[in-house]
Amino acid sequence: QVHLVESGGGLVQPGGSLRLSCAASGSIFRVNDMGWYRQAPGMQRELVALIGSGGNTKYGDSVKGRFTISRDVAKNTVALQMNSLIPEDTAVYYCNALAQTYDRGSYSNYQDYWGQGTQVTVSS
């Protein structure tokens, strides 16, 4: 199993910044992509940003130029720096990892793991 723990959400005024962090732990053998998704009330979960183990990144169109994803491959952590926040960024943000585990001599297939979510509210 892989556990993802997020931190850093909260309330911020429009134009402000927040930094989200996520740490993966458990019987991890290898982590491929790590990323952030978000879900606003009544909306589908959408990609915010993704980063591969080689550092390649992908961003949702609405956050390009404002958000930056980074990762420490050795520590299995991922961070999301969010600048120039707007009310439309208000959502629950979820950390995601595509990971392979090793336990008692067996390797798993790659599976998607999710954190519990952290609320980000952008409001004056």
Side-chain angles (χ1 to χ4, degrees):
Q1 276 291 343
V2 176
H3 301 282
L4 302 178
V5 178
E6 301 121 333
S7 60
L11 172 65
V12 64
Q13 292 187 343
S17 298
L18 277 177
R19 183 177 178 84
L20 305 182
S21 298
C22 173
S25 63
S27 52
I28 298 170
F29 174 69
R30 185 179 295 149
V31 180
N32 193 346
D33 293 341
M34 294 190 79
W36 294 91
Y37 290 75
R38 68 187 183 186
Q39 188 166 19
M43 304 291 286
Q44 288 189 336
R45 191 172 294 190
E46 63 174 358
L47 171 71
V48 177
L50 205 61
I51 184 166
S53 56
N56 50 303
T57 58
K58 179 179 180 179
Y59 292 91
D61 288 341
S62 62
V63 307
K64 286 179 181 176
R66 300 187 297 121
F67 291 10
T68 303
I69 191 169
S70 60
R71 176 176 177 178
D72 186 325
V73 175
K75 295 181 179 179
N76 289 322
T77 60
V78 64
L80 184 70
Q81 178 65 40
M82 305 185 293
N83 298 328
S84 302
L85 284 160
I86 59 178
E88 289 75 18
D89 294 320
T90 296
V92 177
Y93 284 68
Y94 296 92
C95 179
N96 170 264
L98 183 63
Q100 186 182 24
T101 61
Y102 176 77
D103 185 36
R104 285 172 284 186
S106 296
Y107 295 92
S108 74
N109 294 324
Y110 277 99
Q111 296 181 57
D112 267 319
Y113 295 92
W114 295 90
Q116 78 285 357
T118 185
Q119 176 70 45
V120 171
T121 302
V122 184
S123 175
S124 55

